């Protein structure tokens, strides 16, 4: 491996831009637009960087960025404080733990990993919501949110592809 193709990771590029894109997409999909009486789905766009940042490289900045994204989601969606921050950190931790097993897998297999990590984060948020409200959230709503979030994998794959060769020290 030569270091000539490696580019240094600029935190504004690999953390800041995806954060702003997630915030913008979340706000756009929350717009009161109805098509044939149906509202736009509300995927957890922050799951994309939670997966990709752990795959790209371990970092001290990424968990703090995920906490900021989670706090934004909690405030924007009106959930309990810390719900999405904790859920995103659970997803990030799972990817960090399983990173060596995921590296080098085919695209469909990586999609399955992404769906699995998304399911774990959704289960965590479901349990936290259930414990906080002492009531069970709608399983159908959680399933649909999981499904539309799992469909975001191409964006996570693109983010990983864009920055995976940026720092060869972690390869």
């Amino acid at each position: 491996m030569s270091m000539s193709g490696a580019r240094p990771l600029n935190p504004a590029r690999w953390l800041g831009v995806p954060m702003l894109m997630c915030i913008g997409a979340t706000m756009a999909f929350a717009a009161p637009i109805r098509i044939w009486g149906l509202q736009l789905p509300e995927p957890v766009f922050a799951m994309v960087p939670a997966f990709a940042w752990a795959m790209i490289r371990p970092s001290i900045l990424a968990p703090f960025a995920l906490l900021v994204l989670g706090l934004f989601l909690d405030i924007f969606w009106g959930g309990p404080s810390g719900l999405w921050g904790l859920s995103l950190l659970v997803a990030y931790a799972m990817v960090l733990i399983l990173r060596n097993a995921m590296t080098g897998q085919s695209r469909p297999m990586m999609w399955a990993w992404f769906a699995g990590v998304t399911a774990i984060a959704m289960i965590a948020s479901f349990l936290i919501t259930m414990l906080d409200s002492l009531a069970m959230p709608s399983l159908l709503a959680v399933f649909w949110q999981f499904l539309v979030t799992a469909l975001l994998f191409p964006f996570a794959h693109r983010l990983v592809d864009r920055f995976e060769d940026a720092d060869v020290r972690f390869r």
Side-chain angles (χ1 to χ4, degrees):
M1 285 181 161
S2 74
M3 302 260 296
S4 62
R7 299 177 313 264
L9 282 175
N10 179 353
R13 280 186 53 223
W14 78 283
L15 291 173
V17 172
M19 279 181 65
L20 292 175
M21 291 175 75
C22 287
I23 290 169
T26 299
M27 291 171 63
F29 273 66
I33 298 171
R34 296 204 176 262
I35 300 171
W36 295 302
L38 299 173
Q39 185 178 342
L40 291 174
E42 290 188 3
V44 183
F45 287 100
M47 195 62 63
V48 169
F51 183 84
W53 290 340
M55 285 297 297
I56 293 167
R57 70 176 269 201
S59 170
I60 193 80
L61 296 175
F64 290 109
L66 289 173
L67 283 174
V68 169
L69 277 173
L71 182 61
F72 164 77
L73 291 176
D74 293 336
I75 292 169
F76 189 76
W77 286 338
S81 295
L83 168 72
W84 284 109
L86 182 59
S87 298
L88 292 172
L89 286 177
V90 165
Y92 183 82
M94 289 304 302
V95 175
L96 275 181
I97 291 168
L98 300 170
R99 182 174 183 240
N100 290 336
M102 290 184 211
T103 304
Q105 297 288 330
S106 67
R107 187 177 174 131
M109 198 60 210
M110 289 297 289
W111 202 325
W113 281 109
F114 180 77
V117 168
T118 300
I120 289 170
M122 292 288 182
I123 290 169
S125 65
F126 177 83
L127 293 174
I128 293 166
T129 302
M130 196 167 63
L131 289 172
D132 182 59
S133 66
L134 299 176
M136 193 164 103
S138 168
L139 287 173
L140 187 60
V142 172
F143 172 75
W144 284 116
Q145 189 172 32
F146 159 75
L147 188 62
V148 295
T149 303
L151 292 175
L152 296 175
F153 171 74
F155 299 105
H157 185 69
R158 176 153 163 64
L159 188 59
V160 169
D161 278 351
R162 181 175 172 101
F163 292 108
E164 75 179 338
D165 65 340
D167 194 349
V168 295
R169 293 177 297 167
F170 296 100
R171 290 281 160 209

